[in-house]
Amino acid sequence: MSHLPQVPGPIGVFDSGYGGLTILKGIRDLMPQYDYIYLGDNARAPYGTRSFDVVYEFTRQAVVHLFEMGCHLVILGCNTASAKALRSIQQNDLLQLDPQRRVLGVIIPTAEVIGELTKSRHVGILATEGTIRSHSYAMEIHKRFPDVQVTGQACPMWVPLVENNEADNPGTHYFVNKSMQLLLSRDPKIDTIILGCTHYPILLPVIKEHTPSDVNIICQGEYVARSLSDYLTRHPEMDTRCSKNGTMRYLTTENPQKFSESAQIFLSEKVEVERISL
């Protein structure tokens, strides 16, 4: 696709909805000088319950759109897309689209650091049904740390609670406690839990209330940001293709007003949003 813009452009961050804003925030806090475009496919969210084929198709459309908007590097700020679509896009699509462009996910940066964070070598993953079923975390962790035991627990109620701004009601405490008890009863030796969905950091205060104090809880934002910064240091040719004017654009496939209101839950600031079609 030689029609893709070749001049330096922003870093794209894609998510099925709002969760990727926690990833974007981590990246921007560490690397504020770059330009960014955030794309939320809110019209078709959530991805967590959808099939591999559908998640791949939707994610591919979003990646192509961000490439056409000038991004040379796109981060899938969505665990489901990282689990179900990233490998196919990297192995099959980039060759046709533009072999110089890159798409990265959120699972590998988290898997890479887990060996340093767990002492008991027992790790828990809290995520959507789709991410748990893909076994992506277990596979990526075992590749790097074969001795680490990984136990996954799906938390189907957590995303709707966050998106409806119910992070601190009694029902939320009930569902968080229930998932945590299920996970820890399956492996009481867990000393480190990865929040394997980008919505979950919003629930962090509630999660901590229902987790033993000696269990470490990992939010992905800072690890993905550090990994990206390291990536750009190791790949100066990509760094030169990322423009640096400190700008930010937000795109959604749904209602911009609704996106702007919900984005405040994640970013604690008002944002201007444009609507697009994929």
Side-chain angles (χ1 to χ4, degrees):
M1 288 176 79
S2 54
H3 68 276
L4 292 174
Q6 296 303 321
V7 295
I11 294 172
V13 178
F14 168 68
D15 184 53
S16 57
Y18 305 106
L21 293 169
T22 60
I23 300 295
L24 174 71
K25 189 175 186 318
I27 294 171
R28 283 185 76 201
D29 285 351
L30 187 64
M31 302 158 56
Q33 70 275 31
Y34 290 83
D35 297 323
Y36 298 96
I37 297 180
Y38 181 88
L39 168 54
D41 187 13
N42 302 79
R44 302 188 293 196
Y47 280 17
T49 52
R50 293 187 182 274
S51 70
F52 272 71
D53 292 347
V54 169
V55 171
Y56 162 65
E57 191 47 49
F58 288 179
T59 305
R60 186 184 183 283
Q61 288 167 3
V63 166
V64 169
H65 191 90
L66 287 166
F67 283 174
E68 287 171 346
M69 292 188 75
C71 301
H72 293 263
L73 176 62
V74 173
I75 312 300
L76 303 185
C78 171
N79 283 275
T80 306
S82 297
K84 293 183 173 183
L86 179 62
R87 186 161 290 172
S88 299
I89 289 171
Q90 287 174 332
Q91 291 177 352
N92 307 331
D93 296 305
L94 286 179
L95 281 170
Q96 299 159 3
L97 295 167
D98 180 350
Q100 302 302 307
R101 290 178 199 247
R102 291 289 174 268
V103 181
L104 305 174
V106 289
I107 293 174
I108 289 173
T110 318
E112 283 173 341
V113 294
I114 206 69
E116 303 156 28
L117 302 172
T118 172
K119 292 189 171 54
S120 72
R121 315 312 275 174
H122 290 255
V123 170
I125 314 287
L126 297 167
T128 63
E129 190 73 55
T131 300
I132 296 297
R133 244 194 243 143
S134 73
H135 299 293
S136 296
Y137 272 98
M139 288 190 298
E140 295 298 346
I141 290 170
H142 287 151
K143 255 186 231 172
R144 293 160 178 82
F145 310 104
D147 62 318
V148 173
Q149 289 215 22
V150 181
T151 306
Q153 176 63 47
C155 310
M157 291 302 297
W158 290 21
V159 167
L161 287 165
V162 171
E163 296 215 335
N164 289 297
N165 208 1
E166 299 284 354
D168 201 26
N169 79 8
T172 303
H173 283 263
Y174 168 80
F175 284 112
V176 168
N177 184 48
K178 188 177 168 187
S179 298
M180 204 52 88
Q181 296 302 327
L182 282 168
L183 178 65
L184 294 173
S185 67
R186 288 169 56 209
D187 183 356
K189 291 186 183 168
I190 288 171
D191 71 347
T192 305
I193 293 174
I194 296 171
L195 300 185
C197 170
T198 50
H199 281 68
Y200 296 178
I202 303 298
L203 298 173
L204 191 59
V206 182
I207 293 167
K208 283 187 166 161
E209 269 187 60
H210 298 283
T211 310
S213 57
D214 57 347
V215 174
N216 193 4
I217 298 167
I218 306 301
C219 298
Q220 296 171 298
E222 62 172 301
Y223 297 105
V224 173
R226 268 192 251 162
S227 176
L228 178 60
S229 173
D230 179 50
Y231 177 86
L232 290 170
T233 304
R234 285 184 292 114
H235 296 88
E237 76 290 347
M238 178 54 79
D239 191 57
T240 60
R241 294 194 201 114
C242 298
S243 53
K244 300 172 186 71
N245 305 299
T247 66
M248 186 68 235
R249 279 177 79 186
Y250 295 94
L251 312 174
T252 178
T253 54
E254 242 297 340
N255 178 338
Q257 179 60 35
K258 165 92 171 77
F259 185 96
S260 185
E261 285 165 18
S262 296
Q264 281 185 276
I265 302 169
F266 293 87
L267 300 173
S268 315
E269 60 173 295
K270 267 270 202 232
V271 297
E272 290 283 307
V273 189
E274 306 157 54
R275 185 174 174 206
I276 57 136
S277 298
L278 288 177

